Amino acid sequence: MKITSKEKFTEQLGKKVKYYREIRGLTLEQLANLVGCTGSYIALIEKGKNTPNSYVLYNLSRSLNVPLLFFYGIDEDKENINSDKDPILKNEDFIPFLDIAKEAYFRNVSTKELLNAVKILSRS
Protein backbone atom coordinates (compact mmCIF):
# COMPACT_ATOMS: atom_id res chain seq x y z
CA MET A 1 0.00 0.00 0.00
CA LYS A 2 1.41 3.35 -1.06
CA ILE A 3 1.69 5.97 1.67
CA THR A 4 0.25 9.32 0.64
CA SER A 5 1.52 12.72 1.72
CA LYS A 6 -1.39 13.05 4.16
CA GLU A 7 -0.62 9.64 5.67
CA LYS A 8 3.06 10.57 5.99
CA PHE A 9 2.17 13.89 7.61
CA THR A 10 -0.24 12.24 10.03
CA GLU A 11 2.30 9.57 10.99
CA GLN A 12 5.12 12.07 11.59
CA LEU A 13 2.82 14.44 13.47
CA GLY A 14 1.73 11.61 15.75
CA LYS A 15 5.34 10.72 16.55
CA LYS A 16 6.14 14.34 17.38
CA VAL A 17 3.08 14.78 19.60
CA LYS A 18 3.85 11.59 21.53
CA TYR A 19 7.52 12.46 21.87
CA TYR A 20 6.87 15.94 23.28
CA ARG A 21 4.01 14.76 25.48
CA GLU A 22 6.28 12.15 27.07
CA ILE A 23 9.23 14.54 27.39
CA ARG A 24 6.91 16.94 29.22
CA GLY A 25 5.75 14.09 31.49
CA LEU A 26 2.11 14.46 30.48
CA THR A 27 -0.43 11.66 30.30
CA LEU A 28 -2.85 11.43 27.39
CA GLU A 29 -5.59 12.80 29.62
CA GLN A 30 -3.49 15.69 30.90
CA LEU A 31 -2.61 16.78 27.36
CA ALA A 32 -6.21 16.30 26.28
CA ASN A 33 -7.38 18.61 29.06
CA LEU A 34 -4.89 21.26 27.98
CA VAL A 35 -5.89 20.93 24.32
CA GLY A 36 -9.62 20.67 24.94
CA CYS A 37 -10.33 17.20 23.60
CA THR A 38 -10.32 13.59 24.84
CA GLY A 39 -7.42 11.33 25.67
CA SER A 40 -8.62 8.83 23.09
CA TYR A 41 -8.47 11.54 20.41
CA ILE A 42 -4.87 12.36 21.38
CA ALA A 43 -4.06 8.62 21.26
CA LEU A 44 -5.46 8.43 17.71
CA ILE A 45 -3.30 11.40 16.70
CA GLU A 46 -0.21 9.80 18.25
CA LYS A 47 -0.88 6.52 16.42
CA GLY A 48 -1.19 8.38 13.12
CA LYS A 49 -4.85 7.39 12.77
CA ASN A 50 -6.29 10.90 12.91
CA THR A 51 -5.15 14.24 11.54
CA PRO A 52 -6.15 17.08 13.86
CA ASN A 53 -7.78 20.20 12.49
CA SER A 54 -5.89 23.48 12.61
CA TYR A 55 -7.45 24.55 15.91
CA VAL A 56 -6.42 21.33 17.67
CA LEU A 57 -2.97 21.54 16.11
CA TYR A 58 -2.64 25.11 17.39
CA ASN A 59 -3.67 23.98 20.89
CA LEU A 60 -1.20 21.08 20.75
CA SER A 61 1.52 23.54 19.82
CA ARG A 62 0.71 25.82 22.75
CA SER A 63 0.19 22.99 25.24
CA LEU A 64 3.47 21.27 24.34
CA ASN A 65 5.36 24.57 23.93
CA VAL A 66 6.41 23.60 20.41
CA PRO A 67 6.40 26.10 17.53
CA LEU A 68 3.37 25.40 15.34
CA LEU A 69 5.44 25.22 12.16
CA PHE A 70 7.58 22.53 13.75
CA PHE A 71 4.70 20.09 13.30
CA TYR A 72 4.58 20.62 9.55
CA GLY A 73 7.94 19.15 8.46
CA ILE A 74 7.54 15.68 6.91
CA ASP A 75 10.91 15.28 5.21
CA GLU A 76 12.67 12.56 7.22
CA ASP A 77 16.10 13.70 6.03
CA LYS A 78 15.49 17.08 7.60
CA GLU A 79 13.74 15.76 10.69
CA ASN A 80 14.82 17.62 13.81
CA ILE A 81 12.97 15.56 16.39
CA ASN A 82 15.21 14.08 19.05
CA SER A 83 18.35 15.69 17.67
CA ASP A 84 20.65 18.46 18.76
CA LYS A 85 18.85 20.68 16.22
CA ASP A 86 15.58 20.27 18.10
CA PRO A 87 14.60 23.80 19.23
CA ILE A 88 12.76 22.55 22.30
CA LEU A 89 15.76 20.61 23.55
CA LYS A 90 17.94 23.75 23.35
CA ASN A 91 16.12 25.19 26.37
CA GLU A 92 18.81 25.90 28.99
CA ASP A 93 16.76 24.31 31.77
CA PHE A 94 16.58 21.07 29.80
CA ILE A 95 20.18 20.77 28.58
CA PRO A 96 21.46 18.78 31.60
CA PHE A 97 18.83 16.12 30.90
CA LEU A 98 19.21 15.99 27.11
CA ASP A 99 21.29 12.81 27.00
CA ILE A 100 18.98 11.08 29.47
CA ALA A 101 15.92 12.05 27.46
CA LYS A 102 17.43 10.87 24.18
CA GLU A 103 18.49 7.55 25.66
CA ALA A 104 15.07 7.06 27.25
CA TYR A 105 13.35 7.82 23.96
CA PHE A 106 15.46 5.32 22.02
CA ARG A 107 14.98 2.62 24.65
CA ASN A 108 11.25 3.28 25.08
CA VAL A 109 11.70 3.96 28.79
CA SER A 110 8.40 4.70 30.49
CA THR A 111 7.64 8.23 31.55
CA LYS A 112 7.48 7.11 35.19
CA GLU A 113 10.98 5.59 35.05
CA LEU A 114 12.33 8.68 33.32
CA LEU A 115 10.80 11.00 35.91
CA ASN A 116 12.30 8.92 38.72
CA ALA A 117 15.76 9.18 37.10
CA VAL A 118 15.39 12.94 36.68
CA LYS A 119 14.35 13.34 40.34
CA ILE A 120 17.39 11.40 41.48
CA LEU A 121 19.72 13.41 39.25
CA SER A 122 18.14 16.70 40.31
CA ARG A 123 19.10 16.00 43.92
CA SER A 124 22.77 15.65 42.99
Side-chain angles (χ1 to χ4, degrees):
M1 182 172 139
K2 184 178 178 184
I3 297 178
T4 66
S5 295
K6 182 179 179 181
E7 289 168 338
K8 182 78 168 172
F9 171 78
T10 302
E11 178 185 326
Q12 292 298 313
L13 173 66
K15 288 178 182 179
K16 290 176 183 180
V17 169
K18 183 175 182 177
Y19 173 74
Y20 286 111
R21 176 180 62 79
E22 289 179 345
I23 288 295
R24 304 276 186 279
L26 297 171
T27 65
L28 288 168
E29 291 300 323
Q30 288 170 329
L31 180 57
N33 287 334
L34 292 170
V35 172
C37 61
T38 65
S40 59
Y41 183 68
I42 298 292
L44 288 172
I45 292 170
E46 288 184 358
K47 292 176 184 174
K49 305 284 184 197
N50 202 325
T51 306
N53 65 36
S54 58
Y55 181 71
V56 171
L57 196 56
Y58 171 76
N59 284 336
L60 282 167
S61 168
R62 292 187 55 132
S63 299
L64 294 170
N65 196 25
V66 176
L68 183 61
L69 290 176
F70 192 68
F71 285 129
Y72 284 96
I74 62 170
D75 184 354
E76 287 184 40
D77 294 332
K78 295 179 182 175
E79 187 65 60
N80 287 329
I81 193 168
N82 199 37
S83 77
D84 292 334
K85 296 176 185 173
D86 186 333
I88 302 307
L89 299 182
K90 289 294 185 183
N91 181 311
E92 288 181 23
D93 295 333
F94 194 73
I95 289 174
F97 303 104
L98 180 59
D99 290 332
I100 296 167
K102 284 182 179 181
E103 188 68 22
Y105 180 74
F106 286 128
R107 293 178 185 249
N108 292 321
V109 173
S110 73
T111 304
K112 184 177 179 180
E113 291 172 313
L114 180 60
L115 288 174
N116 285 336
V118 168
K119 285 178 187 175
I120 291 167
L121 290 170
S122 295
R123 291 184 215 147
S124 307

